[in-house]
Amino acid sequence: MVSKALLRLVSAVSRRRMKLLLSVALLAYVASVWGNFVNMRSIQEHDELKIESKIEEMVEPLREKIRDLEKSLTQKYPPVKFLSEKDRKRILITGGAGFVGSHLTDKLMMDGHEVTVVDNFFTGRKRNVEHWIGHENFELINHDVVEPLYIEVDQIYHLASPASPPNYMYNPIKTLKTNTIGTLNMLGLAKRVGARLLLASTSEVYGDRRNEEVREQDGNQREKNHRNRNSPKCNPEVHPQSESYWGHVNPVGPRACYDEGKRVAETMCYAYMKQEGVEVRVARIFNTFGPRMHMNDGRVVSNFILQALQGEPLTVYGSGSQTRAFQYVSDLVNGLVALMNSNVSSPVNLGNPEEHTILEFAQLIKTLVGSGSEIQFLSEAQDDPQKRKPDIKKAKLMLGWEPVVPLEEGLNKAIHYFRKELEYQANNQYIPKPKPARIKKGRTRHN
């Protein structure tokens, strides 16, 4: 009896121990499985973080592009006046991405007109008009006026042509084509659609002149000038230059491609007016300056400002006694619009009659910039006009126009713009250098 009881007790204890051992083993197994699960989970989370990080790196540029696109779609344009259908004009500006053309674009857009800019970007820049891209009243066309253009417009401002000596002397045949074939194409367009055309001519049509002033000439003096016209040392002149002065241009000099190109363009305008009844306006533009000028286009203003800002010598060609009359670009734009909308079909001078010598101008820019640059005298450029001063009596009388921006105020604006441009160029590892008014020799040109 006792032995049986002991056996039952032992077996009961063994069963409890077995259960306990099984429980411990089960707990150990569960703990092991849970540990493996936690480890796998942490590894998975780490991998997921890596993947998310890589996805984020790839998506961020796309997000940036979407933000830029949204910004462009919600771009704020300069304030534009609302015009009714009968007052709003469809206006074409050739060379509208250039220095003067872009400022004219701004004015006409803000006045509420529909503006189409045509430019082949030889000297024009998209940057000059990019603030209008996307506006419902604005269109930009990459086109060379040497090729025909078919478009419906009410007015044409024909400004297309390189205007600084290094640019128009770089490819003289192309300059001639732009001013002749390009003008013919624009006159043909004006004839087809019944548009009025304004030609941006130049004071260069007056050519060179002597230093002494001759304001009135009697019959004997005119005859004497006519006899002496063949003399290379004689430059018949009227100073200041009025629209009635026919000019004295060297037809075979380095500047002839531009000077004679503009002269024949004027002839074409009046031929179309007389023969085809096309409404034409001709603006003879004198020296103009302001923001958006090319920094290294070789003109007096840009050269002097750039050299003064960079602490380089201001280069004066010749003695510096040559005179120029500089107008600010906003004055010119107002004059062009006034002329286009007037009844004046004969040529009109648009310039500032305030005359300065090149040397005076260099010293003024030195003072305004606060530069310690020296003035360096170089040999005189061939066919460089000795005197430039417009007679603007006609513009005052018939257009009610005259320059209003003081020279120093305009120069300060131009200097501020050039400073910003230099900062921009420096960030892009490019430092512009002024170009001398010289033709490049030995360079292949494509016509």
Side-chain angles (χ1 to χ4, degrees):
M1 291 290 293
V2 174
S3 62
K4 288 180 180 180
L6 286 171
L7 285 170
R8 283 197 298 271
L9 179 63
V10 170
S11 64
V13 170
S14 297
R15 282 197 297 271
R16 287 193 190 98
R17 187 176 292 171
M18 288 297 295
K19 286 179 181 179
L20 181 62
L21 288 172
L22 286 171
S23 298
V24 170
L26 182 61
L27 286 172
Y29 176 73
V30 170
S32 174
V33 170
W34 177 254
N36 290 336
F37 175 76
V38 169
N39 286 336
M40 288 176 66
R41 181 74 178 172
S42 64
I43 292 169
Q44 186 178 0
E45 286 178 354
H46 181 69
D47 290 342
E48 285 177 355
L49 285 172
K50 272 188 171 182
I51 293 169
E52 285 178 4
S53 176
K54 286 183 179 179
I55 291 172
E56 190 68 25
E57 287 178 8
M58 294 172 66
V59 168
E60 185 56 33
L62 296 175
R63 284 202 189 111
E64 190 68 31
K65 287 183 179 179
I66 290 170
R67 281 194 290 269
D68 291 341
L69 185 60
E70 287 173 346
K71 186 178 177 182
S72 67
L73 291 173
T74 57
Q75 180 179 352
K76 291 185 178 179
Y77 300 102
V80 173
K81 180 181 175 182
F82 174 77
L83 288 181
S84 63
E85 195 70 30
K86 67 181 181 66
D87 295 325
R88 188 167 64 247
K89 292 183 175 64
R90 299 164 301 172
I91 299 175
L92 169 64
I93 306 175
T94 68
F99 162 48
V100 175
S102 62
H103 286 282
L104 178 60
T105 298
D106 288 349
K107 176 169 177 56
L108 294 174
M109 281 293 296
M110 288 189 285
D111 284 349
H113 299 290
E114 295 177 12
V115 177
T116 299
V117 166
V118 166
D119 208 298
N120 68 350
F121 301 107
F122 173 58
T123 56
R125 292 180 292 182
K126 196 175 289 186
R127 280 178 58 201
N128 292 341
V129 292
E130 66 181 357
H131 52 283
W132 292 115
I133 292 175
H135 194 283
E136 59 182 3
N137 287 352
F138 179 79
E139 186 176 1
L140 177 63
I141 301 174
N142 188 337
H143 180 83
D144 192 328
V145 294
V146 170
E147 303 298 328
L149 180 68
Y150 301 97
I151 188 174
E152 293 294 323
V153 291
D154 302 309
Q155 293 181 345
I156 302 170
Y157 288 85
H158 183 36
L159 276 61
S161 174
S164 68
N167 287 329
Y168 64 66
M169 292 192 293
Y170 170 79
N171 191 337
I173 295 175
K174 180 64 176 176
T175 300
L176 280 166
K177 283 183 175 180
T178 301
N179 284 296
T180 53
I181 300 172
T183 301
L184 277 175
N185 284 334
M186 291 304 106
L187 285 165
L189 174 61
K191 175 189 168 185
R192 284 194 301 274
V193 301
R196 178 180 292 180
L197 180 140
L198 182 146
L199 171 69
S201 188
T202 173
S203 60
E204 297 298 316
V205 299
Y206 297 125
D208 196 9
R209 50 205 44 83
R210 289 175 299 175
N211 291 334
E212 66 271 14
E213 293 189 2
V214 180
R215 298 180 185 274
E216 296 180 358
Q217 295 179 330
D218 57 19
N220 292 334
Q221 183 65 43
R222 289 195 191 96
E223 186 179 351
K224 181 180 177 182
N225 285 341
H226 180 72
R227 287 197 306 269
N228 292 337
R229 189 174 286 267
N230 293 327
S231 170
K233 293 184 180 179
C234 180
N235 297 309
E237 67 114 10
V238 174
H239 188 75
Q241 295 83 56
S242 66
E243 293 85 353
S244 60
Y245 176 51
W246 292 351
H248 186 61
V249 176
N250 178 0
V252 294
R255 295 169 178 257
C257 59
Y258 183 67
D259 303 357
E260 298 289 18
K262 288 296 186 183
R263 284 167 72 94
V264 76
E266 289 191 15
T267 304
M268 289 174 178
C269 285
Y270 291 109
Y272 264 80
M273 183 180 75
K274 291 171 185 174
Q275 182 173 323
E276 305 295 345
V278 175
E279 290 188 50
V280 298
R281 304 289 182 264
V282 174
R284 289 177 178 166
I285 300 170
F286 284 70
N287 294 74
T288 307
F289 71 96
R292 300 180 191 163
M293 292 182 74
H294 274 288
M295 299 198 65
N296 56 348
D297 68 357
R299 299 190 212 194
V300 174
V301 177
S302 52
N303 271 9
F304 284 170
I305 294 178
L306 184 59
Q307 289 165 338
L309 287 172
Q310 294 180 331
E312 297 178 354
L314 274 64
T315 51
V316 173
Y317 294 96
S319 64
S321 60
Q322 312 97 305
T323 65
R324 296 291 185 272
F326 298 94
Q327 67 181 333
Y328 191 65
V329 65
S330 63
D331 285 330
L332 171 60
V333 165
N334 291 334
L336 292 173
V337 174
L339 176 58
M340 172 64 91
N341 297 316
S342 73
N343 294 319
V344 183
S345 59
S346 54
V348 177
N349 288 338
L350 295 178
N352 191 334
E354 185 181 327
E355 192 176 16
H356 297 273
T357 67
I358 297 296
L359 189 56
E360 289 171 352
F361 198 65
Q363 290 165 342
L364 175 60
I365 288 179
K366 268 186 63 177
T367 303
L368 293 177
V369 172
S371 170
S373 298
E374 298 178 351
I375 295 177
Q376 182 181 11
F377 294 91
L378 302 178
S379 58
E380 187 173 345
Q382 185 179 350
D383 291 342
D384 186 27
Q386 294 301 303
K387 280 185 177 287
R388 271 287 182 269
K389 180 182 177 180
D391 182 338
I392 62 168
K393 293 189 185 77
K394 188 174 181 179
K396 284 183 179 180
L397 179 65
M398 307 189 79
L399 304 180
W401 175 89
E402 62 180 322
V404 295
V405 179
L407 179 62
E408 287 193 18
E409 180 184 330
L411 282 174
N412 281 325
K413 290 179 181 179
I415 290 167
H416 175 73
Y417 170 79
F418 274 51
R419 275 201 175 102
K420 293 289 184 185
E421 282 289 286
L422 276 175
E423 291 173 8
Y424 176 83
Q425 303 285 14
N427 292 335
N428 288 274
Q429 306 298 315
Y430 168 71
I431 303 298
K433 297 292 181 185
K435 286 184 180 177
R438 295 285 192 276
I439 189 166
K440 296 181 180 178
K441 294 182 180 179
R443 184 169 185 135
T444 304
R445 292 177 171 81
H446 304 283
N447 302 324

